Amino acid sequence: QVQVVESGGGLVQPGGSLTLSCAASGSIYTISSMGWYRQTPGKQRELVAIIGSGGNTNTADGAKGRFTISRDNIKNTVYLQMNRLNSEDTAVYYCYALVRISATSPSRGYWGQGTQVTVSS
């Protein structure tokens, strides 16, 4: 099985910074993409940023220039550096990993349990 575990959420003041981490472990052959999504009550989960195994990234418009996604392929870990946070960034942040567990298996998406980020004074 594959486990995806986030860490680094918490309370931060407006204008502050926070770094989220997410590690995938277990029966992993390859991980093609890893990323971050977020969700607030009553809304759909939305993409924040995603990164491929080669380092190519896609960042949501609202996060561009403030959030940076990076990845350590050796550690199967993805990071989200968040700067200039504001109240609209308050959400549960979920990590996503697209994983193959063997050379012959199809890729399957795995989600973490989520970590709360609250931006408030």
Side-chain angles (χ1 to χ4, degrees), residues 7-91:
S7 61
L11 175 65
V12 61
Q13 291 187 341
S17 299
L18 204 61
T19 300
L20 304 181
S21 301
C22 169
S25 62
S27 301
I28 296 171
Y29 178 70
T30 59
I31 302 178
S32 51
S33 59
M34 299 186 79
W36 293 94
Y37 291 72
R38 67 187 183 186
Q39 189 170 23
T40 54
K43 291 189 176 181
Q44 286 190 331
R45 195 171 295 187
E46 63 178 10
L47 173 70
V48 177
I50 196 162
I51 184 168
S53 57
N56 52 303
T57 63
N58 183 24
T59 304
D61 287 343
K64 285 180 180 177
R66 300 188 301 126
F67 294 6
T68 302
I69 189 170
S70 61
R71 175 173 174 172
D72 185 331
N73 289 333
I74 302 299
K75 296 181 179 179
N76 290 334
T77 299
V78 63
Y79 306 94
L80 185 68
Q81 172 68 44
M82 304 184 291
N83 299 323
R84 303 200 309 276
L85 286 159
N86 58 61
S87 59
E88 294 183 349
D89 297 315
T90 295

